[in-house]
Structures are given as structure tokens and as C-alpha cells.
Amino acid sequence: MIVQSLELRDFRNYAEAHFELGDGTTAIIGDNGQGKTNVAESLAYLATLASFRRVPVDALIRVGAEQAIVRATIRHEEDDRELLVEAEINRTGRNRVQVNKQRLARARDLLGVLRVTVFSPDDLVLVKGGPGERRSFLDDLLVSLHPKNDVLRTDLDRILKQRNTLLKQAGGRLSDDVAFTLDVWDAKLVEAGEAMGRARARLTEELAPRTAAAYADLAGSPVPVGLTYDPPWRRTGLAAALEAGRSDDVRRSISLIGPHRDELELAINELPARTHASQGEQRTLALALRLAGHRFVAERVGSAPVLVLDDVPRNSTRIAATPSSPISLRGR
């Protein structure tokens, strides 16, 4: 995919801005605080309708304005299609998205229209942060691979929310009515949870060698890098694990077992990267994870996502080695 042009109006610090991009690498250079990362955020928002900084959507609207507009012309290289993607962000929450002037009824309909891979300094949290950061990394990649995975993630979140509501209402007591209703939600959780577990496991197997290769490219020499996804519940099956942990769930009024608690373990030289790697190694591993995911999505969907590199080593666009047009954001 190639972003040919990008237009911003009242987005973050931009009252109005227009960028002509196109084939090849684009470097956006400026001092700190001038809004380079905001450009990356605008592209990522057009792809996912969310901020990769994980801020409320109204934070994207320029101070003093009531509405922000992000507009981009995208070219799909595989069939030479040109698409105009427009997003309107309102403080009222009534946001809308259009593709070629046709309004989309659901956010899910946007998936695949524009794919963006962003690496920013905040991505260090992929290695240093809690398990939720790494789960989100896997799940976001799954959604990039196929919209059905977005349905799966949404269903799983809904089921867990309903199950947790029931556990809170139970007040620590497992009555017959609670047990009956819990059986219903457990059956739904097993179906969605097992599917998510299988998807994450397959993805981890694909990412592991690609991450090691990307890390070696960045580091300049081969280094043992490991990715492991092996939650205990997958060894016995989620149904058996939920049954064994039911009393604890009821007592603590929350779901303690399932995909929402999983960990993607990262290792360098066979040691946990989160606790034993240097900050330089952690940063390199975070970038290697992003590049590995980028390459895998490009291979599977037949079109490379737009690669946006925010303040990373200059050789990273070369290492990406995909037909996309990288956008590199650099400070002076």
C-alpha cells in the first residue's frame, strides 16, 4: 500500500496541513514538539479508528476546535486501486468514516482498506510492559491478517464482560442459579477462548523465526531470540481449567483463567527479555517484533502495510525490505 497524500485539519497541533507522499521512502524531519508523531498517529487512526498512543479519541482534536478531519489517498499496488479514505472526529462522539465518499456503517468495514505498521519509542512497552501489551500486539496482528479475528476479539471481550458481571453479582456465593448461568457463559468462553488460543499459537510460531531474523539484521549478528506462547490452560483445555478454577473465580468475583490472562514470553540469549535484557536490547527486540509482524502481514495478504518509523535507526527502512513506501519521522 502507498499513501499518496495526507490532509489534516484540526488534528492534534495541526490547524491545517497537506502532505504529498508517494513511492519511495519519505522522511519527515523536524524539532521535538513540532508534530512528527502526530502524522504517524493520523495514519494509524485511518487504519484502525484508534490512537496507537491509547488516548481518548477527543484528544486527537486540536484544542479550541470541535472537529478534526483526516483524509488520505491510498493506492493498492496489487490491483492499482486508488481509494480516498476520510475520517471525521467529533467531540460529540458522532464520528464517521468514508471510503470514496461512501459512508461506512461499521468500523469493521474499514479493516483492510488501509494497513499501517507504526514503530515509535513507546513500543519499548512491548518488552518492558505487562502481558496485556504483548497480547494486544498479537491480537492487533491477527486483525490485520483477517477481519474475522476482529469479530473473535470482540466476542471474547463481550463474553468476559458478561461473565465478570455475573461473578460480581454472585457476591462470592455459588448458588444453583449462578452455577447454571455460569455454565452457559463458560461454554461460550471455551468456544471463543480456544479459537483465540489457537490463533495466537499459530501466529507466534510464524513470528518467532521472523523476529530472530529481524533482530539479527538490526544487531548486525545472529542472537538467540525466543517467542513462547504456552498458557497453562491450553495444556488441559479451557473447559477443564475453568471448572478447576471456578471456586476461585466466584470467591474473587472475576475471571482468573483464559486468553485475557495469557503471556507472550520474550527471551534473548535464553533469558527473559523483560528482566534481563539491556534497554538497548529491549528496544531492538521491540523493533524486531514490529518488523516481523509487518513482513508476515505483507506475505499473507499480498500487500505490505504502510511502514511508519518514528525516531528509529536509519537502516530500519532498508531492513523492512517490503514494497511499501516507508515514512520515517526523525528529530534534528
Side-chain angles (χ1 to χ4, degrees):
M1 293 183 179
I2 294 175
V3 179
Q4 296 182 316
S5 66
L6 174 66
E7 183 182 342
L8 306 178
R9 192 172 73 210
D10 290 326
F11 184 90
R12 287 288 194 179
N13 67 319
Y14 291 99
E16 192 168 345
H18 186 86
F19 302 88
E20 290 294 334
L21 306 172
D23 297 356
T25 299
T26 298
I28 300 177
I29 302 172
D31 294 330
N32 291 336
Q34 287 191 315
K36 300 185 300 298
T37 299
N38 295 342
V39 175
E41 191 174 27
S42 68
L43 284 170
Y45 181 83
L46 273 186
T48 64
L49 300 186
S51 167
F52 67 81
R53 290 164 160 175
R54 301 186 185 179
V55 299
V57 173
D58 64 0
L60 306 180
I61 303 172
R62 189 171 64 90
V63 175
E66 292 300 315
Q67 178 189 83
I69 301 292
V70 182
R71 183 179 293 116
T73 303
I74 313 298
R75 180 161 60 85
H76 286 221
E77 300 148 292
E78 65 274 19
D79 55 11
D80 209 35
R81 279 187 304 152
E82 188 173 287
L83 300 172
L84 176 64
V85 186
E86 302 169 280
E88 180 183 292
I89 311 167
N90 293 288
R91 292 199 186 279
T92 61
R94 296 181 180 178
N95 305 325
R96 65 176 184 173
V97 184
Q98 294 186 143
V99 176
N100 288 342
K101 299 299 183 179
Q102 297 297 311
R103 185 171 181 176
L104 302 185
R106 303 173 304 173
R108 187 172 292 141
D109 295 334
L110 184 64
L111 296 175
V113 173
L114 172 62
R115 295 183 177 91
V116 175
T117 301
V118 178
F119 179 83
S120 74
D122 290 343
D123 271 351
L124 193 59
V125 76
L126 285 178
V127 182
K128 295 185 69 173
E133 302 292 343
R134 291 175 285 282
R135 287 194 300 270
S136 293
F137 167 72
L138 289 177
D139 295 349
D140 288 346
L141 274 179
L142 288 171
V143 171
S144 293
L145 290 167
H146 202 288
K148 69 179 182 181
N149 293 316
D150 185 58
V151 177
L152 176 59
R153 178 166 63 176
T154 300
D155 286 348
L156 183 59
D157 289 344
R158 176 182 56 82
I159 292 165
L160 282 166
K161 183 178 180 180
Q162 295 286 350
R163 189 177 190 270
N164 286 336
T165 297
L166 174 63
L167 290 169
K168 290 175 183 176
Q169 292 172 345
R173 294 179 59 254
L174 185 62
S175 66
D176 290 343
D177 286 345
V178 169
F180 176 80
T181 310
L182 203 51
D183 286 342
V184 174
W185 287 114
D186 281 5
K188 295 178 181 292
L189 180 55
V190 167
E191 182 179 2
E194 290 280 7
M196 181 62 82
R198 288 191 297 270
R200 287 175 178 171
R202 288 194 296 266
L203 178 58
T204 301
E205 289 178 4
E206 296 283 0
L207 285 180
R210 290 170 173 81
T211 303
Y215 191 100
D217 287 341
L218 292 164
S221 62
V223 176
V225 172
L227 277 67
T228 304
Y229 173 78
D230 187 26
W233 65 262
R234 293 200 75 225
R235 302 168 202 168
T236 61
L238 187 51
L242 288 173
E243 183 179 356
R246 175 171 287 193
S247 60
D248 287 339
D249 284 0
V250 172
R251 178 173 55 84
R252 296 182 58 181
S253 300
I254 194 168
S255 301
L256 298 170
I257 297 168
H260 58 297
R261 295 274 180 152
D262 291 352
E263 169 67 290
L264 172 66
E265 298 176 2
L266 307 176
I268 299 176
N269 289 315
E270 300 183 350
L271 294 172
R274 183 170 180 266
T275 56
H276 289 67
S278 69
Q279 182 150 313
E281 289 172 325
Q282 291 174 337
R283 181 174 170 82
T284 301
L285 179 55
L287 178 53
L289 285 166
R290 287 293 188 205
L291 292 178
H294 178 80
R295 289 169 172 172
F296 184 57
V297 171
E299 292 169 13
R300 284 302 171 95
V301 305
S303 176
V306 176
L307 179 63
V308 182
L309 301 167
D310 186 2
D311 194 21
V312 298
R314 292 174 182 266
N315 67 338
S316 299
T317 52
R318 175 187 59 79
I319 290 170
T322 67
S324 65
S325 295
I327 299 171
S328 180
L329 313 174
R330 301 175 188 162
R332 287 196 178 98

